[in-house]
Amino acid sequence: MTAGPGAAATADDGPGPAAGLTIRDLARPGLGPVSFTLAGGECVAVRGPSGAGKSLLLRAIADLDPNAGQVLLGADDRGAMPAPRWRRRVAYVPTEPGWWAGTVGEHFPDWPAARPSAVALGLPADCDGWTVQRLSTGERQRLGLIRALANDPEILLLDEPTSGLDVDTTAAVETLVDQYRRQRDAGILWVTHDGAQAERVATRSLTIENGQCR
């Protein structure tokens, strides 16, 4: 991979410039070893055919599956950090987010703070009262993204976050993520099968084929 335009900042748990991500020899069954860097404020599109290892890469970085190698957020080693803290700072947003409570609002510690993002993505301001069962696939996708942003992560790992959305809603998601990236100086890995989307949202691309990156 070629170096991106951004520069990694000092690691910080609170608001402010986000740290860059360094991946060294990351490997798990079906992936790697892979090595690359992601600067704070940079968006990298992750491309490749189905089954190539794109989702495996994001899950390995988030430490959701057993893996080997080193992952650093700024100077902070993932291995020296409790897993919940790592996943707040490095947020993985799957195509189909998980839900553990009955209503939308129960998944948000501060719904009023999240409400503007929900409205920006075409959701009603009072959808916190909705049951999870009534949500469509696209609504679950959007709310899963908003839920991740509510934790103020320094890195976003997005696994096809617009795959179930129409053109207008896709554009709204792209805008919201770009605004967050600029405001937070956050690094983003964005898995997409859409070449046009990759050109719109990313500064460079990482291609995964047969578990290897280039």
Side-chain angles (χ1 to χ4, degrees), residues 1-145:
M1 294 180 68
T2 56
T10 301
D12 187 350
D13 284 333
L21 195 67
T22 302
I23 309 296
R24 295 175 181 160
D25 297 322
L26 183 66
R28 54 144 292 164
L31 176 72
V34 299
S35 300
F36 63 92
T37 60
L38 174 70
E42 181 181 30
C43 181
V44 172
V46 182
R47 308 289 312 285
S50 296
K54 301 182 297 297
S55 296
L56 295 182
L57 172 65
L58 300 193
R59 289 184 59 85
I61 294 171
D63 207 20
L64 292 168
D65 301 320
N67 62 91
Q70 186 179 41
V71 183
L72 300 171
L73 181 58
D76 296 340
D77 193 311
R78 181 185 66 181
M81 193 181 306
R85 181 166 172 247
W86 176 260
R87 291 171 193 149
R88 284 194 299 271
R89 298 180 68 185
V90 180
Y92 171 58
V93 184
T95 303
E96 180 57 69
W99 303 90
W100 55 86
T103 66
V104 169
E106 291 176 90
H107 297 85
F108 290 84
D110 185 357
W111 176 253
R115 185 183 293 123
S117 294
V119 173
L121 296 189
L123 294 159
D126 61 355
C127 69
D128 59 314
W130 290 3
T131 63
V132 171
Q133 288 184 330
R134 72 167 282 182
L135 298 175
S136 68
T137 298
E139 289 166 344
R140 291 195 300 270
Q141 278 185 301
R142 283 174 279 169
L143 286 164
L145 172 62

Side-chain angles (χ1 to χ4, degrees), residues 90-203:
V90 180
Y92 171 58
V93 184
T95 303
E96 180 57 69
W99 303 90
W100 55 86
T103 66
V104 169
E106 291 176 90
H107 297 85
F108 290 84
D110 185 357
W111 176 253
R115 185 183 293 123
S117 294
V119 173
L121 296 189
L123 294 159
D126 61 355
C127 69
D128 59 314
W130 290 3
T131 63
V132 171
Q133 288 184 330
R134 72 167 282 182
L135 298 175
S136 68
T137 298
E139 289 166 344
R140 291 195 300 270
Q141 278 185 301
R142 283 174 279 169
L143 286 164
L145 172 62
I146 295 165
R147 190 175 69 198
L149 295 179
N151 287 324
D152 192 33
E154 295 163 71
I155 302 292
L156 278 173
L157 309 174
L158 304 179
D159 197 350
E160 298 192 69
T162 62
S163 60
L165 306 182
D166 60 28
V167 172
D168 290 342
T169 312
T170 292
V173 168
E174 291 175 0
T175 297
L176 180 68
V177 172
D178 187 62
Q179 288 173 344
Y180 183 83
R181 177 184 66 83
R182 294 173 183 274
Q183 293 168 1
R184 185 64 174 86
D185 198 27
I188 298 170
L189 288 179
W190 186 315
V191 171
T192 179
H193 285 284
D194 185 340
Q197 180 175 68
E199 291 185 4
R200 289 194 302 269
V201 304
T203 54

